[in-house]
Amino acid sequence: KPNKTSLPPPSPHPACHPPVCPSVIGYSGMPEGGKKDELQGGLTSLLVADGPTLAQRKKMLCETADCFVILPGGPGTYDEMWEVISERQLELPSGKCPRPVVLVNVDGYWDPSLAQLQRCYDDGMLYKRPEEVVRAESTGEGALEWVVGEVARLRAEWDAKKSAEGAEGVSGIGDESRAMAAGEEGNNKL
């Protein structure tokens, strides 16, 4: 059970948890490549997902994210966490580089959620082992260090996979491009 005295105090801004923000703002280990990586000197802006519904907030988060670092939080955070963990286990969104998920597990805050994932796996309801869909780190610094390395690793694997797919066939056009050229883009079935 978490020690309430060691959890972060409420922040004046709901998107910024005091013990973690200084680590994020000063972090300079972002991987190179991609349009968001001009932040080599550290985080210079903070995108706040705001909107009248949780669905709109989650859409904004998921459209722009390369990874998810999840801090201790309440029901809204749980909702976001379970959605991105579900996406990760189902390998969604399709056609996009996988996005790692890491929990900042301050004083074991996320231990019950991790135990539930393990139970799901043990009972045959989770397609992948829990550690394949989510990582837990006890500090914000540890979470950032892991997620930066994981984003770089996943990007390299994704780029190699896409490069190999593009090299197939005489034209070098990938499957998605061939399907679009054949007019199949609207034929997705559920």
Side-chain angles (χ1 to χ4, degrees), residues 36-77:
K36 293 180 183 168
D37 295 335
E38 68 274 7
L39 304 177
Q40 292 295 319
L43 183 66
T44 57
S45 64
L46 180 64
L47 179 63
V48 177
D50 200 9
T53 68
L54 283 175
Q56 289 174 329
R57 292 176 183 196
K58 287 190 298 186
K59 181 180 179 196
M60 182 182 168
L61 286 171
C62 291
E63 283 178 344
T64 59
D66 292 326
C67 61
F68 300 95
V69 178
I70 304 172
L71 307 170
T77 302

Side-chain angles (χ1 to χ4, degrees), residues 84-95:
V84 297
I85 287 173
S86 296
E87 280 188 351
R88 184 89 167 121
Q89 88 135 349
L90 295 170
E91 298 179 1
L92 296 173
S94 61

Side-chain angles (χ1 to χ4, degrees), residues 55-166:
Q56 289 174 329
R57 292 176 183 196
K58 287 190 298 186
K59 181 180 179 196
M60 182 182 168
L61 286 171
C62 291
E63 283 178 344
T64 59
D66 292 326
C67 61
F68 300 95
V69 178
I70 304 172
L71 307 170
T77 302
Y78 304 155
D79 181 48
E80 294 161 353
M81 176 192 70
W82 289 117
E83 180 160 330
V84 297
I85 287 173
S86 296
E87 280 188 351
R88 184 89 167 121
Q89 88 135 349
L90 295 170
E91 298 179 1
L92 296 173
S94 61
K96 187 170 180 176
C97 183
R99 301 178 295 182
V101 180
V102 61
L103 303 175
V104 181
N105 196 20
V106 177
D107 290 333
Y109 185 86
W110 295 112
D111 287 351
S113 298
L114 295 167
Q116 186 62 48
L117 279 172
Q118 186 62 52
R119 171 74 188 265
C120 288
Y121 180 75
D122 293 345
D123 290 351
M125 293 181 266
L126 191 64
Y127 305 127
K128 296 179 180 180
R129 292 185 326 271
E131 58 273 11
E132 292 179 80
V133 295
V134 65
R135 168 95 171 205
E137 290 287 339
S138 61
T139 66
E141 293 85 359
L144 288 172
E145 184 177 320
W146 178 82
V147 83
V148 166
E150 190 67 0
V151 166
R153 184 186 72 77
L154 290 169
R155 279 186 186 168
E157 287 177 5
W158 180 259
D159 290 344
K161 177 184 170 190
K162 288 300 174 188
S163 187
E165 288 175 359

